[in-house]
């Protein structure tokens, strides 16, 4: 069937690259931290001047008052070396 072949989506493989989270009780208070996947495949948390390595399960954990705000993904075709 020509119609179904033309509507089949391309291979959609995405990798989470970064999460920006808001820490605070309201949008008017608190600050932002970023969890970023480094080129060596390890996650790092950037919290003002403090940078530390973290486990991946901490990235996906959403605990009050920390909530994921912005999620950055890359498509597998855009990344030369997947971690």
């Amino acid at each position: 069937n020509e119609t179904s072949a033309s509507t089949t989506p391309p291979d959609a493989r995405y990798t989470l690259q970064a999460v920006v989270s808001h820490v605070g009780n309201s949008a008017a208070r608190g600050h932002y931290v970023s969890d970023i996947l480094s080129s060596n495949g390890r996650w790092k948390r950037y919290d003002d001047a403090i940078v530390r390595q973290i486990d991946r399960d901490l990235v996906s954990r959403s605990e009050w008052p920390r909530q994921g705000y912005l999620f950055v993904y890359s498509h597998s075709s855009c990344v030369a070396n997947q971690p």
Side-chain angles (χ1 to χ4, degrees):
N1 182 346
E2 252 181 84
T3 306
S4 63
S6 64
T7 58
T8 303
D11 188 21
R13 293 184 189 163
Y14 295 88
T15 301
L16 183 63
Q17 297 291 322
V19 178
V20 177
S21 300
H22 179 261
V23 182
N25 293 327
S26 73
R29 294 196 166 172
H31 75 280
Y32 293 89
V33 298
S34 299
D35 298 333
I36 299 175
L37 183 62
S38 62
S39 60
N40 65 4
R42 296 190 177 162
W43 284 91
K44 292 184 180 177
R45 177 159 294 160
Y46 294 80
D47 185 353
D48 292 333
I50 300 168
V51 179
R52 64 184 175 102
Q53 188 171 310
I54 60 169
D55 291 328
R56 188 194 186 310
D57 58 328
L58 286 177
V59 175
S60 58
R61 189 179 303 156
S62 183
E63 297 175 349
W64 182 259
R66 181 178 177 268
Q67 299 291 321
Y69 180 77
L70 176 69
F71 299 85
V72 178
Y73 291 87
S74 63
H75 190 273
S76 59
S77 66
C78 298
V79 180
N81 297 315
Q82 290 284 328

